[in-house]
């Protein structure tokens, strides 16, 4: 299964949420890999705490591979190469957790050629043979990278794939996320131009809300009643707005609560962060865990 | 001087094994040429051979620049309708000329790469089977693995396959070097997926040596994959039924494929025999198979006694 992670805007939590989902999926016993196709800002190495590739790799990054400058992209075994103590041993029963870092200082793709699409198809095909889940961080907004993976998936009709669109729970983000999917030059528009069936493609897209502050959450206990009432009203307004833009509950795969740890640092939330040091919220870990299951649960992906 | 090759082996990307006639279609990459099929003791289908022109540096342990020009021979195979391979090799010989000749010269010698200038066989053999020098992903160097990988991709991307393989499993690569001399064989495991083979055989090279290497690669992949599946099952720490469920794909798709040396010519079987003594491929395979079957038996017994128990109540 290929899963493409996209968002309309940068800074929505796409990378942090995507990496945490992949990590949880590995803990659930699956072999997983994470491809950093966010060529302008390849930060996945930092989130996995692999300092050698914190801002991408100097050699054999994905960018170089796609340009034909190296025969195969570099693979980083996170269980072996992470600097974080809690990640450096593979927990019993966990699957492989592999990062394919982007190229340091690679820059966005500046054009889409047939050769690049061919190499992308080759890479996806091979990874899909050996990994249960391959998550591809496609970067923000309309880009050549998004076009690249739309073109590549047309050429491999038998390979299953899905899209996750990440957005924050605000007016601007809801409208922008909907636009990225259904707007001019959005995913559906470009996808059909490359040969996807619009309805089929729409069924493969779900939204994920990031850094959500629930009106009844523990974080808000100290608020005045007036503030809580105001937040509640905002929240229902947003729900109404989301529904109108087809970004509502039915099209949503899950939501991740706002977490103090993630607000301060881009990182994986381990069980140790929740249970031992207690710096992260149990709800956050549980939300990642549930998303990691839903991503492969066909019931959650039935036609809308 | 020497022959070097690389075989990539993987699980055919289809839900079930494919029939002999489907094998023929999948491997008949070029129309008009026939796929060779042998049926006993296991169905083995081999595609026509294809040539790839190369003009590149050859890997040398001394890191001296050795230029080679010629063609690589490649082919694909499917064993038991289940295991797919891409395989390439070149015979490296000294060029009689000191400069590159017209392509017609090289095309008349399929599978031969001629070395321009000085080169030692031992240096090339070491360079090809040694660990790649860090920091030199040199795209201009002969990369038989890239060629074999692409041929395997061709098979896996066939529209006749449904791509719903019963389990996920990595490909393995076997890089081999064969020379003429006092018989010896050395098989080495490197990373989880990389193996090398150094072979010295009596008499001149024949394509039967390639068959031997492909046969070894098939069985090494089978063994490697069964080890992975058994590890994933976590026998002893997960409940019996869950462990058996995880072992089931191996029973359905792998266990019947073990046929060592089935396609190896008589004069080369001593090499297989020697690998059977050390490291002992079949010994390890049998012990794994026994483990799988014991798990199934124990679990069946548990189920039977549980249902007898409820019957009595
Ligand atoms: N659930 C969350 N709670 C709080 N902060 C979050 C959450 N998810 C992400 N963040 C923070 O938001 C910022 C942007 O996240 P990032 O994943 O880098 O975004 P993107 O990849 O979309 O550009 C980061 O500082 C990150 O730690
Ligand atoms: Mg990011």
């Amino acid at each position: 299964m290929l899963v493409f992670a996209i968002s309309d805007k940068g800074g929505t939590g796409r990378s942090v949420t995507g990496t945490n989902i992949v990590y949880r999926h590995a803990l659930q016993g699956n072999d997983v890999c994470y491809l950093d196709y966010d060529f302008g800002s390849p930060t996945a190495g930092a989130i996995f705490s692999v300092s050698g590739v914190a801002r991408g790799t100097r050699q054999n990054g994905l960018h170089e591979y796609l340009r034909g400058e190296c025969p195969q992209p570099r693979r980083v075994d996170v269980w072996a190469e992470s600097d974080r103590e809690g990640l450096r041993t593979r927990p019993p029963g966990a699957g492989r957790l592999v990062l394919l870092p982007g190229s340091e200082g690679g820059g966005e793709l500046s054009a889409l050629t047939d050769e690049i699409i061919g190499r992308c198809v080759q890479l996806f095909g091979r990874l899909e043979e050996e990994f249960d889940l391959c998550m591809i961080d496609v970067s923000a907004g309309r880009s050549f990278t998004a076009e690249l993976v739309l073109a590549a998936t047309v050429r491999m009709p038998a390979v299953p794939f899905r899209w996750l669109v990440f957005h924050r729970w605000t007016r601007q983000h809801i409208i922008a996320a909907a636009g990225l999917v259904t707007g001019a030059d959005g995913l559906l528009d470009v996808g059909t131009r490359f040969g996807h069936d619009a309805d089929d493609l729409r069924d493969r897209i779900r939204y994920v809300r990031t850094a959500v502050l629930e009106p009844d959450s523990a974080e808000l206990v100290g608020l005045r009643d007036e503030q809580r009432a105001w937040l509640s009203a905002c929240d229902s307004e947003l729900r109404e707005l989301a529904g109108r833009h087809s970004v509502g509950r039915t099209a949503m795969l899950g939501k991740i609560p706002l977490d103090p740890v993630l607000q301060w640092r881009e990182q994986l939330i381990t069980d140790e962060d929740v249970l031992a040091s207690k710096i992260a919220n149990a709800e956050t870990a549980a939300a990642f865990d549930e998303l990691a299951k839903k991503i492969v649960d066909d019931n959650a992906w039935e036609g809308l | 001087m020497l022959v070097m090759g690389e075989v990539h082996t993987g699980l055919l990307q289809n839900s079930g094994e494919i029939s002999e006639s489907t094998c023929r279609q999948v491997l008949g990459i070029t129309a008009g040429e026939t796929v060779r099929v042998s049926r006993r003791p296991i169905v083995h289908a081999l595609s026509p051979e294809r040539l790839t022109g190369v003009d590149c540096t050859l890997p040398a342990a001394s890191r001296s620049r050795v230029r080679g020009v010629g063609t690589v021979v490649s082919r694909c195979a499917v064993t038991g309708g289940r295991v797919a391979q891409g395989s390439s090799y070149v015979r490296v010989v000294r060029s009689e000329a000191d400069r590159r000749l017209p392509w017609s010269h090289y095309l008349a010698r399929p599978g031969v790469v001629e070395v321009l200038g000085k080169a030692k066989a031992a240096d090339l053999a070491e360079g090809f089977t040694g660990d790649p020098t860090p920091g030199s992903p040199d795209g201009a160097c002969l990369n038989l693995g890239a060629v074999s990988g692409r041929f395997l991709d061709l098979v896996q991307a066939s529209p006749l396959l449904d791509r719903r393989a019963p389990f996920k499993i990595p490909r393995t690569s076997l890089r081999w070097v064969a020379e003429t001399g006092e018989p010896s064989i050395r098989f080495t495991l490197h990373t989880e997926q990389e193996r090398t083979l150094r072979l010295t055989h009596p008499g001149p090279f024949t394509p039967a040596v390639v068959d031997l290497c492909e046969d070894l690669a098939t069985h090494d992949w089978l063994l490697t994959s069964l080890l992975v599946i058994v590890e994933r099952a976590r026998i002893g720490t997960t409940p019996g039924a869950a462990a058996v469920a995880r072992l089931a794909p191996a029973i359905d798709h792998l266990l019947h494929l073990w046929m060592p040396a089935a396609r190896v010519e008589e004069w080369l079987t001593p090499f297989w025999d020697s690998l059977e003594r050390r490291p002992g491929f079949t010994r390890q395979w049998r012990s794994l198979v026994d483990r799988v079957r014991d798990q199934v038996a124990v679990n069946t017994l548990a189920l039977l006694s549980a249902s007898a128990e409820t019957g009595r109540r």
Side-chain angles (χ1 to χ4, degrees):
Chain A
M1 169 83 63
L2 306 174
V3 175
F4 300 105
I6 196 167
S7 57
D8 182 66
K9 299 175 185 297
T12 54
R14 182 187 61 254
S15 306
V16 163
T17 313
T19 47
N20 270 287
I21 293 174
V22 152
Y23 166 66
R24 291 284 154 183
H25 205 64
L27 292 182
Q28 290 161 8
N30 304 290
D31 287 354
V32 300
C33 66
Y34 189 92
L35 283 71
D36 202 343
Y37 265 38
D38 187 354
F39 300 120
S41 118
T43 56
I47 306 177
F48 285 113
S49 305
V50 184
S51 57
V53 295
R55 281 172 304 281
T57 171
R58 243 161 265 138
Q59 243 167 12
N60 300 344
L62 284 169
H63 206 258
E64 276 165 84
Y65 166 76
L66 289 174
R67 284 195 305 231
E69 291 161 10
C70 65
Q72 283 305 307
R74 175 171 172 195
R75 293 175 174 209
V76 174
D77 174 358
V78 175
W79 297 135
E81 295 183 48
S82 178
D83 304 311
R84 250 183 100 176
E85 193 88 45
L87 292 178
R88 228 181 10 250
T89 37
R90 178 164 159 179
R96 296 160 70 206
L97 177 56
V98 173
L99 163 68
L100 278 73
S103 304
E104 192 174 322
E108 295 288 352
L109 283 187
S110 51
L112 197 54
T113 66
D114 213 49
E115 287 76 31
I116 292 182
I117 300 172
R119 287 184 205 108
C120 185
V121 167
Q122 182 193 67
L123 180 64
F124 288 171
R126 288 186 185 181
L127 292 174
E128 211 263 335
E129 278 179 48
E130 61 175 304
F131 292 98
D132 297 289
L133 180 76
C134 308
M135 182 162 307
I136 299 101
D137 188 335
V138 181
S139 83
R142 295 155 172 82
S143 63
F144 279 120
T145 316
E147 293 190 16
L148 168 63
V149 300
L150 283 167
T153 42
V154 166
R155 294 201 194 171
M156 28 199 352
V159 172
F161 70 89
R162 285 166 179 170
W163 282 81
L164 294 181
V165 179
F166 294 87
H167 66 89
R168 296 221 170 197
W169 194 231
T170 71
R171 286 190 69 86
Q172 304 258 328
H173 273 89
I174 290 167
I175 295 167
L180 177 66
V181 175
T182 56
D185 295 321
L187 289 181
L188 294 175
D189 195 8
V190 176
T192 41
R193 234 180 283 151
F194 278 113
H196 284 284
D197 175 77
D199 291 330
D200 173 73
L201 189 56
R202 190 180 294 110
D203 283 345
R204 296 173 188 260
I205 300 175
R206 290 290 184 282
Y207 297 89
V208 176
R209 301 176 191 169
T210 58
V212 177
L213 198 50
E214 300 284 3
D216 57 353
S217 74
E219 262 77 19
L220 302 182
V221 165
L223 290 194
R224 285 187 295 277
D225 286 349
E226 292 82 350
Q227 292 174 313
R228 210 161 318 133
W230 181 80
L231 274 176
S232 234
C234 270
D235 193 54
S236 42
E237 231 174 83
L238 289 176
R239 263 182 284 146
E240 192 269 329
L241 178 77
R244 241 188 306 128
H245 283 85
S246 310
V247 186
R249 285 245 328 267
T250 42
M252 175 191 81
L253 193 69
K255 49 184 168 184
I256 308 295
L258 182 92
D259 191 281
V261 168
L262 298 181
Q263 205 158 22
W264 290 88
R265 196 201 289 159
E266 298 78 7
Q267 66 162 65
L268 298 184
I269 302 280
T270 63
D271 289 345
E272 202 213 332
D273 295 331
V274 175
L275 302 172
S277 65
K278 299 197 166 121
I279 52 170
N281 291 333
E283 292 78 11
T284 313
F288 287 138
D289 202 57
E290 190 185 313
L291 258 181
K293 287 182 185 139
K294 273 195 172 166
I295 219 164
V296 292
D297 175 5
D298 292 339
N299 292 326
W301 290 85
E302 269 165 16
L304 295 179
Chain B
M1 279 169 86
L2 79 167
V3 186
M4 40 201 197
E6 185 158 339
V7 191
H8 285 208
T9 310
L11 181 70
L12 191 76
Q13 293 301 297
N14 199 57
S15 47
E17 64 180 50
I18 59 171
S19 67
E20 189 190 315
S21 66
T22 312
C23 276
R24 284 184 192 278
Q25 283 173 280
V26 167
L27 294 180
I29 292 155
T30 39
E33 287 175 89
T34 47
V35 173
R36 282 187 286 154
V37 176
S38 60
R39 297 196 177 85
R40 299 278 185 266
I42 188 167
V43 177
H44 179 268
L46 196 59
S47 79
E49 294 185 336
R50 317 245 59 210
L51 296 181
T52 308
V54 290
D55 178 352
C56 56
T57 359
L58 300 183
S62 66
R63 306 186 76 168
S64 54
R65 281 186 64 85
V66 180
R67 181 179 170 195
V69 187
T71 54
V72 177
V73 186
S74 304
R75 61 196 196 181
C76 313
V78 175
T79 307
R82 192 71 274 188
V83 185
Q85 282 183 320
S87 166
S88 309
Y89 69 95
V90 289
R91 280 156 54 206
V92 181
V93 303
R94 259 182 207 94
S95 174
E96 314 222 307
D98 54 3
R99 64 201 155 74
R100 180 172 155 166
L101 300 169
W103 266 114
S104 54
H105 170 85
Y106 301 105
L107 286 175
R109 293 162 183 75
V112 172
V113 162
E114 298 189 353
V115 172
L116 301 176
K118 277 196 288 268
K120 289 202 184 74
D123 190 23
L124 295 180
E126 280 302 321
F128 187 62
T129 54
D131 286 324
T133 23
S136 67
D138 209 351
C141 191
L142 179 68
N143 191 338
L144 293 180
V147 182
S148 297
R150 273 201 303 276
F151 274 81
L152 183 47
D153 290 339
L154 275 181
V155 175
Q156 303 287 36
S158 165
L160 297 167
L161 305 179
D162 62 22
R163 273 214 82 107
R164 296 205 315 266
F167 50 89
K168 302 284 177 184
I169 203 82
R171 298 177 176 184
T172 55
S173 81
L174 174 75
R175 223 177 300 155
W176 57 270
V177 168
E179 293 168 274
T180 298
E182 194 60 37
S184 73
I185 187 163
R186 194 170 77 229
F187 179 85
T188 314
L189 298 174
H190 295 264
T191 62
E192 273 168 81
Q193 281 95 36
E194 285 169 41
R195 291 89 178 77
T196 55
L197 180 75
R198 291 285 298 268
L199 180 74
T200 314
H201 54 79
F205 170 82
T206 79
V209 172
V210 185
D211 294 339
L212 170 70
C213 296
E214 290 171 357
D215 194 47
L216 274 169
T218 303
H219 289 86
D220 171 65
W221 178 84
L222 282 170
L223 186 52
T224 306
S225 302
L226 188 55
L227 277 163
V228 168
I229 291 174
V230 168
E231 191 194 312
R232 282 179 189 161
R234 304 186 66 220
I235 296 171
T237 49
T238 44
V244 167
R246 293 202 142 205
L247 293 171
I251 301 170
D252 293 342
H253 301 278
L254 297 184
L255 297 196
H256 59 288
L257 298 175
W258 192 260
M259 298 283 174
R263 294 188 319 106
V264 173
E265 276 188 15
E266 199 61 41
W267 67 281
L268 288 167
T269 49
F271 289 109
W272 242 120
D273 297 342
S274 128
L275 290 177
E276 289 290 28
R277 282 190 298 278
R278 257 163 74 98
F281 278 89
T282 298
R283 225 183 314 148
Q284 193 173 6
W285 174 262
R286 283 215 190 300
S287 112
L288 277 172
V289 171
D290 287 347
R291 207 157 167 224
V292 170
R293 299 220 163 112
D294 288 349
Q295 273 307 304
V296 175
V298 166
N299 190 55
T300 312
L301 278 178
L303 286 176
L304 282 176
S305 64
S307 67
E309 195 77 10
T310 40
R312 226 173 291 136
R313 262 193 260 129

